[in-house]
Amino acid sequence: MYKINDKEYDCSVAVTVDIFNDKWKLSIIWHLLDDEKRFKDLNEEIPEITQKTLTIKLKELEQKNIINREVFAVVPPKVVYSLTPAGERLRPVFKEMFNWGISYVKEHGEITSDHKCCEVEISKKIGVMN
């Protein structure tokens, strides 16, 4: 049995699923892999997410100790989000997700000629180049 903050889990996979239970959290982490970001930057880099949802997901990730929220005492206020050490340990997970995605597409679809720009971005963030 696993317990985190009064919540019990049967296995470690259940812990992982509970933390990353939607696409927005993984997308936020993905964008923080290359550097710290301000709220405005994340909102621009993930145009499909609403400001309200982004705020909620950032708070949830902060509560789970996946990201840091640093507030600077300046006018106007400056808030910067970055990955914690636990968040940084997700880098190889994204690398495996990339590799799994490539093999899945090769087996069940096709890789089009415009996939190279994605690979360049992936290479910078997680060190993969196919």
Side-chain angles (χ1 to χ4, degrees):
M1 196 64 108
Y2 300 86
K3 187 174 181 180
I4 300 174
N5 299 333
D6 298 336
K7 191 165 185 179
E8 292 187 354
Y9 302 91
D10 291 335
C11 71
S12 60
V13 173
V15 173
T16 306
V17 170
D18 187 45
I19 293 171
F20 305 107
N21 59 358
D22 63 57
K23 68 179 180 178
W24 297 123
K25 290 177 187 171
L26 291 174
S27 186
I28 291 165
I29 294 164
W30 170 253
H31 288 285
L32 290 174
L33 281 174
D34 48 0
D35 202 6
E36 62 184 29
K37 303 260 192 301
R38 295 181 74 169
F39 182 91
K40 170 181 81 75
D41 299 326
L42 288 167
N43 201 21
E44 289 173 1
E45 291 181 15
I46 313 169
E48 305 86 12
I49 194 171
T50 65
Q51 287 186 0
K52 180 181 178 182
T53 302
L54 180 57
T55 299
I56 291 167
K57 298 308 173 184
L58 286 168
K59 284 180 183 177
E60 290 174 2
L61 287 167
E62 184 182 8
Q63 289 169 346
K64 300 288 187 182
N65 298 307
I66 305 297
I67 66 169
N68 285 316
R69 179 179 185 266
E70 187 174 2
V71 181
F72 296 89
V74 294
V75 176
K78 179 181 176 183
V79 179
V80 174
Y81 296 93
S82 61
L83 295 175
T84 64
E88 277 293 333
R89 287 193 302 273
L90 290 165
R91 196 174 296 274
V93 174
F94 277 94
K95 185 174 183 175
E96 287 305 313
M97 289 171 66
F98 171 81
N99 290 331
W100 182 88
I102 291 291
S103 67
Y104 184 85
V105 170
K106 285 179 179 177
E107 189 176 325
H108 299 286
E110 65 179 296
I111 298 175
T112 62
S113 60
D114 61 351
H115 75 286
K116 289 294 180 190
C117 65
C118 174
E119 287 186 0
V120 170
E121 183 178 349
I122 299 274
S123 178
K124 287 191 290 186
K125 289 186 185 205
I126 58 175
V128 171
M129 188 54 121
N130 286 348

